Amino acid sequence: MTTDVRKQSAGRTKGAHSFRKFQQASILILLVALCVVASFRSSTFLTWTNIVDNLFTNAAAIGIVALGMTFIMIGGGFDLSVASTIVVCSVVLVMSMDWLSPQGAAVAIPVALLLTVLVGVILGAINGTLIAYIGVNPFVVTLCTMLIFRGIAQILTGGGQTQQVHDILLRRRFDWFYDAGLPLWGGVGIPMPILIFLVVFAVGIYLLRFTRFGHYVYAIGGNEEAAWLAGVNTHRIKALTYVLCGFTCAIAAVIFVAKTETAGAESHMGKELVVIASVIVGGTPLGGGSGGLTATVIGLLLLRVIDNLLTQFNIGPEYRPVVTGLIILVVVTVDVLAKRRGST
Amino acid sequence: MLSSDDLILQMQGIVKEFSGTRALDKVNFDVRCGEVHALIGENGAGKSTLMNVLAGRFHDYQGLITFEGQQVRITNPRQARDMGIAVIYQELSVLGNFTVAENIMFGDEKSGRWTRKLNRAFINAGARDIIDYLRFDLNPERKVNRLSKARQCLVEIACAVRRKVKLLVFDEPTASLGSEDVDKLFEVIKDLRSRGLAIVYISHRLAELPIIADRVTVLRDGRKMGTKNIGECQISDLTRMMLGHDLVEVFPEKTNKPGNVILKVNGLSRPGLFENISFELREGEILGIAGLVGSGRTEIVRAIFGADKARGTVVFQGKPVVDRSPYLCCSLGIGMVPENRKQHGSITGRPVSENLNISILGRLSGVFGFQSSRRLTRQAKLIIEQMKIDPPLPHTDIENLSGGNQQKVIVGRWLAAESKVIIFDEPTQGIDVGTKSQMYRLIMDLARQGRAIILISSELIEITKLADRILVIRDGRLVSQMHGAETDEDSLFAECVRKDNPE
């Protein structure tokens, strides 16, 4: 369907639209170019360990949240509270599992997972209700819930103590969500986080591209008032994007807990910015209406590869925020400039 | 006749294109000092575009502009302002949180040399001078957002006069004013004229022209149809010039037959906007709602459609519709083509097929909400063919369509949804005559098929030619009902502006 859209509209689309495609293509090209440079300059870049373990596996959890965030941002919204939501979810996950450990892994793990997902969904629903049904500005709402959710995590952990499942066997069992994987040839395999990411990605693509919900999300980002007057239940759809994002936060929490075996109220500081940055660099505009999940994945990978390159070249972590900030700034500035040229 | 020396402005052969469509086609226009020159035409005729050229909103127009005997090219708003051209738009551009004086003196403030403290005494005194000079009844220290719309308009005029304006353009100033305020505004305009200012007065209310204008220029579809002295022409001549000679052919024959009551509105009220509106709508009926802009007509239909909350009941097919929302109304079979196509109609950046199908995606989706793009395209093609949407490409972005075709897409949305009641709010605003007549025929066809239509229009002729019954709304109240066949444009207009308590 997409190719046929491009063909038919290519002659008629105006600057801004063709530019959007150009931008997405150029970021992909930049990504490939960086990878090529990296593989020439560094012997370890193009190794399975570096690509799969360092690049993808580390990015998988954040990537899942970025997928949820993409829904929100295509619908014209915004969510600053994702990192705090992850923290609450992981604290709930660890504490409930610890509490249930006498019941055995067969009970403790599923119930804890269910509880975690429920918490993620509820936190998303709180954001969604305030933003979509009551109409408070998403920036304000999620700035407040960012503080509140982290505060809740601190209260739950009795002042920010790092939580751990005391039952070592149960802890090892739960690590399955990070350590397991799909074995391929020659002793290598696809790690669990990537598998989970791929599943979420597939479901996300289906939701966004092939269902009424997805169409509505784009329509709301395109012109919310018009969609409302066309009989779309815009409140519900908008609220659902936040619920969806809360759900992805819960999944990310599962992966993080499986990786670190702990949960702390002070972890994941600033992750919301990485998530938002991936979505923006990928090409989903603030204000919504266009963009997509693939774009977000490319944006995330670009940020990861740059990060990875900085490590490979032994550039200190103190430079990373500057580099990341500059990249986002360049992408957004170029976007604004090109749009201005397209409109005159 | 005045000599040509008095000409302050001459525009010759002005051409302005918007992505291929000509909004202005070699228009000539001139204004003398000390005259009120009315510029009239239908919506989309090019009046505002012409004035926007003058105000420096575009830099890519063609043609010559001579201002005060000097040939100029106006490429930005600042230049226009410095030359002494000011436009007072319908949407006023006063700063609400500032006082009257601060607004009038904006950009000309004085502050203390070292402290950089604003010199309030200077601002208030300066504003007071201007207000006294114009003999306006304004308190310089009042916040502007606490003034009525008419007073705010005076503030804008004072601001322009302070900037030594020579040519003042009014863009449909009376569209949102009550009749008393209109009289006051006319006094002000006449006073400005006697002070030697040149005034351009844009309107599509023909009845007010003999009161206010000296000359009148008519635009139609971006072309100038002629300029006349107001004493030498009849309103009916102007109507013909505005609409074209094929006035009768534009409208289809009335072929619809009203049947059973399908929609009943009872005591609909929204404080400050409209009060106690009750009426019935029948299947196959075209119900016209006439009234000035700001009379509450749009707010009434929005309330029926559930876009705004209001008191009162709406009964659809015998069942009261409680907790109305567009979402609910749409699923019941009520549709609305909103007034402002760009803001409320088109879902920008999305393809035509989605814009057409947005209201029926639920009906089109399969298991797990699966949306087959082939089914969407097939459904879109059906409507595109039926509505003769051009270009007939379901996957092109709706923004690539002309205004008229975008409007067809939005109407097509409700055809696809098979709505039983369709509300049209200014359906022909800003679309060309050809598409207009298609729109009229479509509305008539829909009514003949038994759908109930509510039609709002500022072009009163549309209402008189199409509607079976006409509701006249004035200041938020339903003041009279008229029969379409027995009403002509002039008497309908008189009813729309009639004062309740004649002095």
Side-chain angles (χ1 to χ4, degrees):
Chain A
M1 186 200 139
T2 4
T3 48
D4 135 34
V5 174
R6 294 228 173 99
K7 247 183 266 161
Q8 287 200 22
S9 57
R12 305 186 61 89
T13 34
K14 289 172 199 152
H17 290 263
S18 52
F19 176 74
R20 178 82 50 208
K21 275 168 198 140
F22 164 74
Q23 187 202 5
Q24 271 161 22
S26 63
I27 284 179
L28 191 59
I29 291 165
L30 183 62
L31 177 62
V32 173
L34 275 179
C35 291
V36 170
V37 169
S39 55
F40 275 117
R41 293 291 303 269
S42 150
S43 55
T44 50
F45 184 82
L46 266 189
T47 56
W48 181 262
T49 327
N50 190 41
I51 289 177
V52 169
D53 289 355
N54 294 343
L55 276 181
F56 290 169
T57 313
N58 280 334
I62 281 302
I64 290 169
V65 181
L67 297 178
M69 180 72 82
T70 309
F71 277 85
I72 293 181
M73 290 182 62
I74 289 174
F78 201 73
D79 191 350
L80 280 171
S81 71
V82 284
S84 301
T85 307
I86 295 173
V87 167
V88 175
C89 286
S90 40
V91 165
V92 166
L93 180 61
V94 170
M95 290 180 80
S96 59
M97 213 161 18
D98 195 34
W99 183 62
L100 287 163
S101 54
Q103 316 295 323
V107 176
I109 291 178
V111 173
L113 283 178
L114 209 67
L115 225 78
T116 307
V117 166
L118 198 68
V119 166
V121 165
I122 289 172
L123 295 188
I126 291 171
N127 282 333
T129 309
L130 287 168
I131 292 163
Y133 284 96
I134 301 177
V136 193
N137 180 294
F139 186 84
V140 177
V141 169
T142 58
L143 184 69
C144 297
T145 51
M146 174 175 89
L147 296 170
I148 295 168
F149 294 166
R150 200 172 281 276
I152 289 174
Q154 263 159 354
I155 295 167
L156 284 176
T157 57
Q161 287 168 333
T162 304
Q163 300 294 309
Q164 205 170 24
V165 180
H166 292 96
D167 185 338
I168 294 176
L169 267 171
L170 182 59
R171 207 192 303 160
R172 294 271 174 274
R173 287 286 288 278
F174 193 77
D175 286 350
W176 182 81
F177 287 103
Y178 189 80
D179 295 336
L182 190 68
L184 296 175
W185 62 94
V188 290
I190 303 175
M192 201 60 187
I194 295 179
L195 285 179
I196 298 175
F197 173 83
L198 289 175
V199 170
V200 176
F201 183 67
V203 172
I205 288 276
Y206 177 78
L207 275 177
L208 191 59
R209 297 257 303 268
F210 299 104
T211 68
R212 173 168 56 142
F213 170 71
H215 282 260
Y216 283 168
V217 172
Y218 276 111
I220 290 169
N223 187 342
E224 186 177 346
E225 183 76 14
W228 161 245
L229 287 175
V232 175
N233 194 343
T234 50
H235 301 324
R236 201 180 72 198
I237 302 293
K238 257 171 79 176
L240 277 177
T241 59
Y242 289 90
V243 172
L244 197 67
C245 189
F247 178 67
T248 57
C249 289
I251 298 177
V254 171
I255 296 175
F256 280 129
V257 167
K259 182 185 175 188
T260 60
E261 300 190 330
T262 56
E266 304 302 328
S267 44
H268 309 305
M269 285 285 186
K271 288 251 164 73
E272 65 278 338
L273 298 180
V274 181
V275 170
I276 293 167
S278 317
V279 179
I280 293 175
V281 170
T284 303
L286 281 171
S290 59
L293 298 177
T294 322
T296 296
V297 174
I298 294 171
L300 177 71
L301 286 181
L302 185 68
L303 293 179
R304 288 298 309 175
V305 167
I306 289 166
D307 205 47
N308 191 255
L309 271 177
L310 295 180
T311 317
Q312 302 259 338
F313 291 129
N314 286 327
I315 295 168
E318 65 270 26
Y319 291 98
R320 281 181 202 172
V322 176
V323 173
T324 316
L326 277 176
I327 290 162
I328 300 167
L329 211 53
V330 166
V331 167
V332 175
T333 310
V334 169
D335 184 22
V336 169
L337 289 177
K339 251 195 213 146
R340 190 186 296 164
R341 189 172 303 166
S343 68
T344 51
Chain B
M1 265 319 248
L2 294 156
S3 69
S4 63
D5 298 11
D6 300 328
L7 280 180
I8 182 167
L9 170 78
Q10 253 186 309
M11 300 175 89
Q12 287 169 312
I14 303 293
V15 174
K16 169 74 188 133
E17 291 184 345
F18 290 108
S19 53
T21 38
R22 270 203 173 185
L24 291 173
D25 191 4
K26 299 197 190 96
V27 174
N28 298 329
F29 183 70
D30 58 65
V31 190
R32 303 190 183 112
C33 290
E35 80 160 350
V36 175
H37 193 150
L39 183 60
I40 64 169
E42 286 186 281
N43 289 319
K47 299 165 294 190
S48 297
T49 312
L50 185 65
M51 288 304 113
N52 280 337
V53 168
L54 188 60
R57 290 265 186 113
F58 309 122
H59 58 84
D60 56 345
Y61 66 92
Q62 297 159 37
L64 293 177
I65 298 180
T66 315
F67 192 74
E68 295 189 296
Q70 302 229 315
Q71 196 170 314
V72 287
R73 232 194 119 67
I74 309 175
T75 52
N76 64 64
R78 200 196 173 93
Q79 185 192 357
R81 201 183 68 193
D82 292 347
M83 282 161 55
I85 296 169
V87 183
I88 294 178
Y89 292 98
Q90 218 181 96
E91 290 299 320
L92 299 172
S93 52
V94 283
L95 305 166
N97 279 326
F98 281 34
T99 65
V100 169
E102 283 164 347
N103 263 285
I104 293 176
M105 302 301 284
F106 191 76
D108 204 17
E109 300 91 347
K110 269 201 181 136
S111 33
R113 186 151 182 198
W114 299 111
T115 57
R116 310 307 298 165
K117 184 176 177 297
L118 268 184
N119 186 341
R120 273 188 192 282
F122 171 79
I123 290 174
N124 286 339
R128 169 60 63 195
D129 284 350
I130 305 276
I131 293 170
D132 288 346
Y133 169 72
L134 292 167
R135 295 193 291 273
F136 284 172
D137 172 26
L138 285 172
N139 175 359
E141 293 178 41
R142 239 187 128 89
K143 286 262 165 72
V144 160
N145 52 14
R146 305 184 62 177
L147 301 177
S148 70
K149 195 124 200 224
R151 289 271 171 91
Q152 294 186 359
C153 187
L154 293 184
V155 173
E156 273 212 28
I157 294 172
C159 194
V161 169
R162 202 264 303 153
R163 289 193 185 125
K164 308 255 172 343
V165 69
K166 291 164 190 146
L167 176 78
L168 192 53
V169 180
F170 287 92
D171 192 353
E172 306 214 18
T174 55
S176 51
L177 294 183
S179 46
E180 274 165 54
D181 290 332
V182 170
D183 292 347
K184 266 188 215 145
L185 180 68
F186 284 176
E187 288 308 311
V188 170
I189 292 178
K190 282 176 184 164
D191 181 56
L192 293 171
R193 172 175 64 182
S194 68
R195 292 173 194 272
L197 251 68
I199 290 161
V200 178
Y201 186 87
I202 300 179
S203 181
H204 60 236
R205 278 200 212 167
L206 299 180
E208 43 184 49
L209 298 186
I211 313 169
I212 187 75
D214 300 303
R215 285 194 299 162
V216 52
T217 291
V218 184
L219 292 183
R220 186 171 84 222
D221 294 333
R223 291 203 190 85
K224 176 171 163 174
M225 306 314 293
T227 300
K228 297 201 164 175
N229 286 324
I230 199 77
E232 297 164 6
C233 59
Q234 298 285 316
I235 288 193
S236 53
D237 298 340
L238 294 176
T239 312
R240 201 168 308 126
M241 281 167 81
M242 256 171 74
L243 292 179
H245 294 280
D246 43 358
L247 176 66
V248 192
E249 285 168 36
V250 170
F251 292 97
E253 238 178 285
K254 279 198 67 70
T255 47
N256 61 318
K257 287 231 166 53
N260 300 326
V261 172
I262 183 167
L263 187 82
K264 234 188 221 171
V265 176
N266 250 327
L268 207 62
S269 304
R270 219 180 135 198
L273 291 168
F274 55 86
E275 247 174 82
N276 202 19
I277 305 290
S278 305
F279 63 87
E280 290 183 345
L281 177 69
R282 292 166 182 283
E283 287 171 355
E285 182 182 41
I286 302 177
L287 179 71
I289 297 186
L292 303 178
V293 172
S295 61
R297 40 177 214 189
T298 296
E299 288 75 10
I300 291 169
V301 292
R302 277 178 63 95
I304 295 172
F305 189 57
D308 301 318
K309 296 265 171 270
R311 281 202 307 268
T313 56
V314 172
V315 180
F316 179 70
Q317 290 183 319
K319 284 185 213 109
V321 189
V322 284
D323 252 339
R324 287 187 306 282
S325 70
Y327 170 65
L328 177 66
C329 286
C330 164
S331 66
L332 286 173
I334 304 174
M336 183 167 85
V337 179
E339 181 183 17
N340 190 327
R341 182 172 54 239
K342 245 210 170 101
Q343 260 177 36
H344 299 152
S346 349
I347 293 162
T348 35
R350 304 305 302 160
V352 168
S353 68
E354 260 183 61
N355 266 286
L356 276 172
N357 291 319
I358 179 115
S359 305
I360 54 161
L361 287 180
R363 211 175 299 163
L364 290 179
S365 50
V367 262
F368 292 123
F370 181 72
Q371 210 82 70
S372 148
S373 67
R374 267 174 54 207
R375 201 180 318 162
L376 282 187
T377 309
R378 206 182 319 133
Q379 170 72 23
K381 277 186 174 155
L382 226 63
I383 303 286
I384 285 174
E385 206 171 300
Q386 201 179 339
M387 300 283 299
K388 300 190 185 64
I389 291 166
D390 180 63
L393 306 171
H395 297 304
T396 187
D397 191 323
I398 186 161
E399 281 170 292
N400 296 338
L401 268 54
S402 71
N405 280 296
Q406 284 189 26
Q407 189 72 310
K408 285 186 190 173
V409 170
I410 291 152
V411 176
R413 201 180 274 168
W414 304 113
L415 288 193
E418 293 173 347
S419 302
K420 298 180 193 88
V421 172
I422 306 182
I423 301 165
F424 288 87
D425 193 354
E426 298 272 20
T428 58
Q429 201 172 60
I431 67 181
D432 58 286
V433 174
T435 315
K436 270 185 190 174
S437 90
Q438 276 183 36
M439 194 64 74
Y440 301 146
R441 222 158 290 149
L442 177 83
I443 290 173
M444 194 57 75
D445 280 348
L446 289 171
R448 197 181 48 223
Q449 291 161 20
R451 306 194 198 201
I453 308 284
I454 295 177
L455 173 68
I456 293 183
S457 178
S458 289
E459 315 279 342
L460 295 178
I461 187 148
E462 290 178 357
I463 294 191
T464 57
K465 293 282 177 192
L466 294 171
D468 300 290
R469 271 188 310 141
I470 302 168
L471 308 179
V472 180
I473 308 289
R474 198 167 59 228
D475 297 329
R477 274 166 308 125
L478 176 54
V479 289
S480 59
Q481 296 209 19
M482 301 166 105
H483 276 276
E486 299 158 8
T487 312
D488 63 30
E489 216 187 330
D490 291 340
S491 55
L492 183 56
F493 180 75
E495 192 61 31
C496 288
V497 298
R498 188 164 56 93
K499 283 183 194 171
D500 289 327
N501 312 308
E503 287 132 72

